[in-house]
Short mmCIF file of all heavy atoms in Angstrom, two decimals:
data_model
loop_
_atom_site.label_atom_id
_atom_site.label_comp_id
_atom_site.label_asym_id
_atom_site.label_seq_id
_atom_site.Cartn_x
_atom_site.Cartn_y
_atom_site.Cartn_z
N LEU G 15 -71.48 -84.95 95.86
CA LEU G 15 -71.68 -86.20 96.61
C LEU G 15 -71.13 -86.16 98.06
O LEU G 15 -71.84 -86.65 98.92
CB LEU G 15 -71.21 -87.46 95.92
CG LEU G 15 -71.91 -87.81 94.63
CD1 LEU G 15 -71.36 -89.10 94.00
CD2 LEU G 15 -73.40 -88.20 94.93
N ILE G 16 -69.96 -85.56 98.20
CA ILE G 16 -69.43 -85.45 99.54
C ILE G 16 -70.24 -84.39 100.30
O ILE G 16 -70.55 -84.79 101.53
CB ILE G 16 -67.90 -84.86 99.34
CG1 ILE G 16 -67.01 -85.91 98.87
CG2 ILE G 16 -67.39 -84.44 100.81
CD1 ILE G 16 -65.67 -85.31 98.46
N GLY G 17 -70.69 -83.34 99.70
CA GLY G 17 -71.61 -82.41 100.39
C GLY G 17 -72.91 -83.11 100.89
O GLY G 17 -73.29 -82.93 101.98
N LEU G 18 -73.50 -83.93 99.99
CA LEU G 18 -74.68 -84.68 100.38
C LEU G 18 -74.41 -85.66 101.49
O LEU G 18 -75.21 -85.84 102.33
CB LEU G 18 -75.25 -85.42 99.16
CG LEU G 18 -75.88 -84.47 98.06
CD1 LEU G 18 -76.28 -85.34 96.85
CD2 LEU G 18 -77.29 -83.92 98.72
N GLY G 19 -73.17 -86.31 101.43
CA GLY G 19 -72.92 -87.28 102.31
C GLY G 19 -72.79 -86.70 103.84
O GLY G 19 -73.11 -87.45 104.77
N VAL G 20 -72.40 -85.34 103.89
CA VAL G 20 -72.31 -84.78 105.15
C VAL G 20 -73.64 -84.17 105.55
O VAL G 20 -73.97 -84.18 106.73
CB VAL G 20 -71.21 -83.65 105.11
CG1 VAL G 20 -71.17 -82.86 106.51
CG2 VAL G 20 -69.82 -84.20 104.89
N LEU G 21 -74.38 -83.72 104.62
CA LEU G 21 -75.67 -83.07 104.90
C LEU G 21 -76.80 -84.08 105.35
O LEU G 21 -77.59 -83.78 106.20
CB LEU G 21 -76.06 -82.30 103.67
CG LEU G 21 -77.34 -81.45 103.80
CD1 LEU G 21 -77.34 -80.41 104.90
CD2 LEU G 21 -77.83 -80.86 102.48
N ILE G 22 -76.84 -85.17 104.60
CA ILE G 22 -77.99 -86.10 104.75
C ILE G 22 -78.23 -86.56 106.20
O ILE G 22 -79.23 -86.63 106.60
CB ILE G 22 -77.77 -87.33 103.75
CG1 ILE G 22 -78.14 -86.90 102.40
CG2 ILE G 22 -78.67 -88.51 104.24
CD1 ILE G 22 -77.90 -88.06 101.37
N PRO G 23 -77.13 -86.92 106.87
CA PRO G 23 -77.27 -87.42 108.39
C PRO G 23 -77.94 -86.30 109.28
O PRO G 23 -78.46 -86.51 110.28
CB PRO G 23 -75.90 -87.74 108.79
CG PRO G 23 -75.17 -88.08 107.56
CD PRO G 23 -75.66 -87.20 106.52
N MET G 24 -77.82 -84.99 108.74
CA MET G 24 -78.22 -83.86 109.55
C MET G 24 -79.83 -83.54 109.30
O MET G 24 -80.40 -83.04 110.09
CB MET G 24 -77.54 -82.59 109.27
CG MET G 24 -75.99 -82.62 109.49
SD MET G 24 -75.16 -81.28 108.99
CE MET G 24 -73.44 -81.69 109.26
N VAL G 25 -80.20 -83.98 108.07
CA VAL G 25 -81.58 -83.53 107.71
C VAL G 25 -82.70 -84.79 107.49
O VAL G 25 -83.81 -84.54 107.54
CB VAL G 25 -81.51 -82.73 106.45
CG1 VAL G 25 -80.83 -81.36 106.61
CG2 VAL G 25 -81.01 -83.52 105.26
N MET G 26 -82.12 -85.84 107.23
CA MET G 26 -82.96 -87.06 106.96
C MET G 26 -83.49 -87.63 108.14
O MET G 26 -82.95 -87.69 109.19
CB MET G 26 -82.20 -88.12 106.06
CG MET G 26 -81.95 -87.66 104.70
SD MET G 26 -83.42 -87.34 103.67
CE MET G 26 -83.99 -89.04 103.41
N PRO G 27 -84.68 -88.31 108.01
CA PRO G 27 -85.26 -88.94 109.24
C PRO G 27 -84.42 -90.22 109.74
O PRO G 27 -83.75 -90.83 108.86
CB PRO G 27 -86.67 -89.44 108.76
CG PRO G 27 -86.56 -89.48 107.24
CD PRO G 27 -85.59 -88.43 106.89
N LYS G 28 -84.56 -90.47 110.97
CA LYS G 28 -83.84 -91.52 111.62
C LYS G 28 -84.72 -92.58 112.11
O LYS G 28 -85.83 -92.25 112.66
CB LYS G 28 -82.90 -90.92 112.72
CG LYS G 28 -81.86 -89.92 112.33
CD LYS G 28 -81.07 -89.48 113.59
CE LYS G 28 -80.14 -88.26 113.16
NZ LYS G 28 -79.16 -88.71 112.27
N VAL G 29 -84.28 -93.87 112.02
CA VAL G 29 -85.02 -94.98 112.73
C VAL G 29 -84.21 -95.29 113.96
O VAL G 29 -83.08 -95.61 113.93
CB VAL G 29 -85.04 -96.22 111.76
CG1 VAL G 29 -85.60 -97.35 112.59
CG2 VAL G 29 -85.84 -95.98 110.56
N VAL G 30 -84.86 -95.00 115.17
CA VAL G 30 -84.14 -95.12 116.42
C VAL G 30 -84.57 -96.44 117.06
O VAL G 30 -85.74 -96.60 117.39
CB VAL G 30 -84.40 -93.83 117.39
CG1 VAL G 30 -83.72 -94.05 118.62
CG2 VAL G 30 -83.98 -92.59 116.64
N ILE G 31 -83.60 -97.23 117.39
CA ILE G 31 -83.65 -98.48 118.13
C ILE G 31 -82.68 -98.45 119.16
O ILE G 31 -81.56 -98.78 118.96
CB ILE G 31 -83.61 -99.79 117.31
CG1 ILE G 31 -84.53 -99.63 116.01
CG2 ILE G 31 -83.86 -101.01 118.03
CD1 ILE G 31 -84.28 -100.85 115.11
N PRO G 32 -82.96 -97.79 120.35
CA PRO G 32 -82.10 -97.62 121.44
C PRO G 32 -81.12 -98.81 121.72
O PRO G 32 -81.62 -99.90 121.74
CB PRO G 32 -82.88 -97.26 122.59
CG PRO G 32 -84.03 -96.76 122.01
CD PRO G 32 -84.40 -97.48 120.83
N PRO G 33 -79.83 -98.49 121.77
CA PRO G 33 -79.18 -97.30 121.82
C PRO G 33 -78.65 -96.76 120.39
O PRO G 33 -77.97 -95.84 120.31
CB PRO G 33 -77.96 -97.43 122.74
CG PRO G 33 -77.63 -98.96 122.45
CD PRO G 33 -78.88 -99.73 122.24
N ALA G 34 -79.09 -97.49 119.42
CA ALA G 34 -78.54 -97.22 117.99
C ALA G 34 -79.72 -96.39 117.22
O ALA G 34 -80.77 -96.35 117.52
CB ALA G 34 -78.27 -98.47 117.19
N SER G 35 -79.19 -95.72 116.16
CA SER G 35 -80.00 -94.94 115.29
C SER G 35 -79.55 -95.14 113.84
O SER G 35 -78.34 -95.26 113.62
CB SER G 35 -80.12 -93.49 115.66
OG SER G 35 -78.97 -92.91 115.43
N PHE G 36 -80.46 -95.18 112.87
CA PHE G 36 -80.13 -95.38 111.50
C PHE G 36 -80.79 -94.29 110.69
O PHE G 36 -81.98 -94.08 110.66
CB PHE G 36 -80.64 -96.83 111.03
CG PHE G 36 -80.14 -97.99 111.83
CD1 PHE G 36 -80.82 -98.35 112.98
CD2 PHE G 36 -78.89 -98.56 111.57
CE1 PHE G 36 -80.50 -99.50 113.71
CE2 PHE G 36 -78.49 -99.61 112.32
CZ PHE G 36 -79.30 -100.13 113.44
N THR G 37 -79.92 -93.55 109.97
CA THR G 37 -80.28 -92.39 109.16
C THR G 37 -80.72 -92.81 107.70
O THR G 37 -79.74 -93.40 107.05
CB THR G 37 -79.28 -91.31 109.17
OG1 THR G 37 -79.02 -90.91 110.55
CG2 THR G 37 -79.77 -90.07 108.43
N LEU G 38 -81.88 -92.69 107.27
CA LEU G 38 -82.26 -93.01 106.03
C LEU G 38 -81.46 -92.37 104.99
O LEU G 38 -81.28 -91.12 105.02
CB LEU G 38 -83.85 -92.77 105.88
CG LEU G 38 -84.38 -93.22 104.39
CD1 LEU G 38 -84.43 -94.69 104.31
CD2 LEU G 38 -85.81 -92.66 104.33
N ALA G 39 -80.95 -93.09 104.05
CA ALA G 39 -80.18 -92.66 102.87
C ALA G 39 -78.83 -92.08 103.15
O ALA G 39 -78.22 -91.41 102.26
CB ALA G 39 -81.05 -91.48 102.06
N SER G 40 -78.32 -92.30 104.40
CA SER G 40 -76.99 -91.75 104.67
C SER G 40 -75.83 -92.23 103.77
O SER G 40 -74.79 -91.67 103.73
CB SER G 40 -76.76 -91.90 106.19
OG SER G 40 -76.74 -93.44 106.48
N HIS G 41 -76.10 -93.52 103.29
CA HIS G 41 -74.95 -94.06 102.41
C HIS G 41 -75.17 -93.81 100.94
O HIS G 41 -74.24 -94.32 100.18
CB HIS G 41 -74.77 -95.56 102.75
CG HIS G 41 -74.74 -95.86 104.28
ND1 HIS G 41 -75.71 -96.35 104.98
CD2 HIS G 41 -73.58 -95.78 105.11
CE1 HIS G 41 -75.43 -96.58 106.26
NE2 HIS G 41 -74.07 -96.19 106.23
N VAL G 42 -76.21 -93.27 100.62
CA VAL G 42 -76.61 -93.16 99.20
C VAL G 42 -75.52 -92.41 98.41
O VAL G 42 -75.09 -92.91 97.23
CB VAL G 42 -77.91 -92.40 98.97
CG1 VAL G 42 -78.19 -91.95 97.59
CG2 VAL G 42 -79.03 -93.31 99.39
N PRO G 43 -74.79 -91.29 98.77
CA PRO G 43 -73.75 -90.72 98.04
C PRO G 43 -72.71 -91.60 97.74
O PRO G 43 -72.16 -91.59 96.59
CB PRO G 43 -73.33 -89.50 98.90
CG PRO G 43 -74.62 -89.25 99.71
CD PRO G 43 -75.16 -90.48 100.06
#
Side-chain angles (χ1 to χ4, degrees):
L15 291 174
I16 290 168
L18 283 173
V20 176
L21 180 64
I22 285 173
M24 301 177 186
V25 299
M26 290 297 285
K28 300 179 186 293
V29 176
V30 180
I31 306 174
S35 66
F36 305 91
T37 305
L38 184 65
S40 59
H41 307 102
V42 166

